[in-house]
Structure formats: C-alpha cells, structure tokens
C-alpha cells in the first residue's frame, strides 16, 4: 500500500528480454549525481568474474532472453570485460555496454579486444557512451575537469572504426528536449560522428534521478490515469546480476537503478527472480513510470 492507503502498483514479470550485469561499482571518475555512487573507491558491488556469470548466461539463454547489457561503475575497469562480452556472444546474445569511453576503454589491450569482438560479431555489439551534455563545461561540472574532451576522444574512436555507438545524455539542465537534441546534433556534426540526435535510441536523454526529491507514489489507478502499460516498464522484462562485496556468490536484482536496496534483491537465480516487483522506490516513479525511460535498447 502507498502512504495514503491506496493499492501500490506492481509490475508482473512477462519474460526475460534483457539480462543486465553490473560489472562492479568501481569507476575511474566520481560524478556529482551518479545514481549508484560509483567512484575510484566504491567497490560495494565487486567485480563479477566470468566463472560467476556463466551460470546466469546459461539460464538467460534457456529463458529466451535476447540481449545482455553491461553496466557499472565503468565496465572496462573490470579486467574480464572483454571475456564477459565474448561469453555472451558465444551464447547467441546481442551485447550492449554502457561506458564513459574514457581511459579504461582506451587502453591498448581493451581496444584490441573490442576490435576483435567487432570483427567477429559485427552489429551484435553496441556501445552507449555517457555524455551528460553537448557542452563540455556543463558535462565537466558533473564529471570533472577535462572529462568531456577525454570522453569525446573515446566516442570518436568508436565511431571512426564503425562501432554501433549511441550516446546517453541527461535531461537535467532546464532545456527542452528539442533544444538538447539540437545541441547534440551540432556536436555530432562538428565531430564528424554519424549519430542521429533525433533518434531516441541513438541519443537517449535520461530523466534525472535525485534521491532527495519527493515524487508521487505509483498506485494501481496510475496505469489508466497516465495511459501506461506495466509491460512497458523495465522490470517486466529485465533483471540484473550483481555481486555484493564480501558475498559468496552473485544475486539477482530487480532493476539496474536500485542495486543497494535489498528489498529489490530477488534471489540467487533468474528463476527465483521471475516474480512481480512492487513499485516502492522513487526511481520507479521518476525514471520508469513518469519518465518513460528504460536502460535497455
């Protein structure tokens, strides 16, 4: 129930389409508003290994999933990231990697690994680069001095080599969506990067997630009021594997956005996690229901 006694909305599990993997919360930078508080010191979610992930990949294949997404932290901090992606490809999945495209991705051995994956698996490999704003000074306020220039270098490297690359920005700066898309379009044109800023899959503008902001609770009546279908909400078709620091084994969480709240931990296997999720976190409202966003492609 919600605070005022109304029946709280929940999302039934409709079947696994995307298996998300948190590769670990360590990151090369510390952003001002990182929803998962990633940093060079935050290892609350430990690096997941290929041996630990393999049973979940097998289970996801048996459940008919189509995609495996890797997030962090910065996925390319995980020393097994290339091998993790290779294992997903080996089971027939498409792979989406979320990255800041900075130094961890640009290390020579990682570049070689990415090029090898691209050569073998082609357009089944997609990378989404985090670029908070089309202006460097705004981006750098969130991610640190010179971070924009370094991320753009990585983005251009990917684009010039023909990778299927998209960009994730944030709708947090008081501009209209059209103004944001126009700004990114100018940036992509100036960089010579073939990304269509008008395409919501090529340029994803995520709603802001602020733990300190009060948001409406989602009741069962909200589906009709908002003209929303619960099957369009991310937790109807996705789950995330995490490895908590000090845990003996990974576990399955309901959502990519809510990794630390144990109320959203659903069990040790994907089969355990195939059950409804109650929308009792502010991210459920702000990001998914009201924001209409999804981490998956």
């Amino acid at each position: 129930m919600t605070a005022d006694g109304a029946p709280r909305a929940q999302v039934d599990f409709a079947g696994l389409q995307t298996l998300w993997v948190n590769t670990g919360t360590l990151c090369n930078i510390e952003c001002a508003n990182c929803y998962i508080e990633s940093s060079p010191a935050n290892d609350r979610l430990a690096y997941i290994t290929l041996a630990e992930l393999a049973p979940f990949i097998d289970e996801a294949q048996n459940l008919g999933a189509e995609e495996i997404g890797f997030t962090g932290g910065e996925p390319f901090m995980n020393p097994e990231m290339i091998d993790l992606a290779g294992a997903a490809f080996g089971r027939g999945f498409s792979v989406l990697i979320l990255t800041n495209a900075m130094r961890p991705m640009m290390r020579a051995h990682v570049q070689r690994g990415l090029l090898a994956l691209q050569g073998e698996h082609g357009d089944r490999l997609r990378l989404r680069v985090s670029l908070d704003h089309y202006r460097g000074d705004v981006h750098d306020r969130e991610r640190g001095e010179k971070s924009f220039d370094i991320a753009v270098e990585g983005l251009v490297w990917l684009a010039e080599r023909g990778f299927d690359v998209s960009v994730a920005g944030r709708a947090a700066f008081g501009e209209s969506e059209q103004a944001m898309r126009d700004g990114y379009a100018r940036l992509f044109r100036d960089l010579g990067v073939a990304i269509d800023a008008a395409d919501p899959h090529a340029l994803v503008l995520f709603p802001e997630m602020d733990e300190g902001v009060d948001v409406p609770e989602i009741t069962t009546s909200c589906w009709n009021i908002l003209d929303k279908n619960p099957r369009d909400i991310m937790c109807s078709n996705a789950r995330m594997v995490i490895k908590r620091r000090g845990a003996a084994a990974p576990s399955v969480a309901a959502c990519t956005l809510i990794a630390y709240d144990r109320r959203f931990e659903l069990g040790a296997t994907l089969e355990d996690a195939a059950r409804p999720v109650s929308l009792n976190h502010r991210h459920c409202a702000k990001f998914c229901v009201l924001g209409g966003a999804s981490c998956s492609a």
Side-chain angles (χ1 to χ4, degrees):
M1 308 298 286
T2 62
D4 62 1
R8 183 180 301 280
Q10 68 174 23
V11 173
D12 292 332
F13 188 63
L16 188 67
Q17 294 179 11
T18 302
L19 173 63
W20 282 95
V21 180
N22 190 295
T23 60
T25 42
L26 285 173
C27 187
N28 55 301
I29 57 175
E30 185 172 2
C31 300
N33 290 299
C34 178
Y35 75 94
I36 204 167
E37 301 172 355
S38 295
S39 75
N42 179 9
D43 63 348
R44 289 175 68 184
L45 300 185
Y47 288 149
I48 197 165
T49 68
L50 179 58
E52 290 169 334
L53 182 60
F56 295 97
I57 293 178
D58 291 343
E59 195 177 6
Q61 184 184 39
N62 292 336
L63 291 172
E66 301 173 354
E67 175 186 53
I68 295 185
F70 294 94
T71 184
E74 168 51 45
F76 290 109
M77 294 279 285
N78 186 312
E80 295 190 57
M81 182 61 247
I82 298 297
D83 293 334
L84 295 173
F89 284 129
R91 289 294 192 177
F93 293 102
S94 62
V95 168
L96 173 62
I97 304 174
L98 311 188
T99 177
N100 60 36
M102 295 177 73
R103 296 300 183 223
M105 191 197 79
M106 293 293 281
R107 289 174 293 176
H109 73 278
V110 175
Q111 290 179 329
R112 289 193 298 270
L114 281 171
L115 290 168
L117 290 175
Q118 181 197 35
E120 187 171 354
H121 303 290
D123 60 5
R124 285 201 292 142
L125 171 62
R126 290 168 294 116
L127 296 102
R128 184 186 296 157
V129 175
S130 297
L131 210 60
D132 287 340
H133 197 269
Y134 56 86
R135 280 176 38 192
D137 60 324
V138 179
H139 175 95
D140 287 357
R141 285 203 298 267
E142 299 295 323
R143 294 182 176 248
E145 187 177 359
K146 302 297 184 183
S147 62
F148 181 83
D149 292 340
I150 299 170
V152 163
E153 179 186 353
L155 172 65
V156 171
W157 183 87
L158 291 167
E160 287 181 343
R161 284 152 185 82
F163 285 92
D164 185 345
V165 61
S166 58
V167 165
R170 289 171 47 210
F173 305 104
E175 299 177 56
S176 69
E177 178 176 345
Q178 190 57 55
M180 291 286 288
R181 293 194 180 278
D182 290 345
Y184 278 102
R186 292 191 297 271
L187 173 66
F188 298 153
R189 184 173 59 250
D190 292 345
L191 295 175
V193 170
I195 297 176
D196 182 0
D199 182 347
H201 298 290
L203 172 61
V204 185
L205 296 176
F206 286 126
E208 189 70 351
M209 293 175 289
D210 188 339
E211 292 277 1
V213 174
D214 195 19
V215 296
E217 294 186 279
I218 305 301
T219 70
T220 54
S221 62
C222 288
W223 300 125
N224 289 330
I225 294 170
L226 299 171
D227 193 24
K228 293 279 186 178
N229 187 333
R231 282 180 171 264
D232 295 332
I233 305 301
M234 190 163 53
C235 55
S236 75
N237 55 56
R239 292 291 184 265
M240 184 170 77
V241 177
I242 61 175
K243 175 71 180 299
R244 298 192 188 279
R245 181 181 59 201
S251 55
V252 182
C255 178
T256 60
L257 307 176
I258 311 169
Y260 301 137
D261 191 332
R262 290 182 181 271
R263 292 174 299 174
F264 289 85
E265 189 167 322
L266 301 180
T269 68
L270 294 174
E271 183 179 1
D272 292 340
R275 49 194 172 95
V277 176
S278 293
L279 302 185
N280 58 356
H281 194 282
R282 56 176 51 86
H283 291 345
C284 303
K286 186 69 180 288
F287 188 87
C288 293
V289 179
L290 299 175
S294 173
C295 296
S296 303

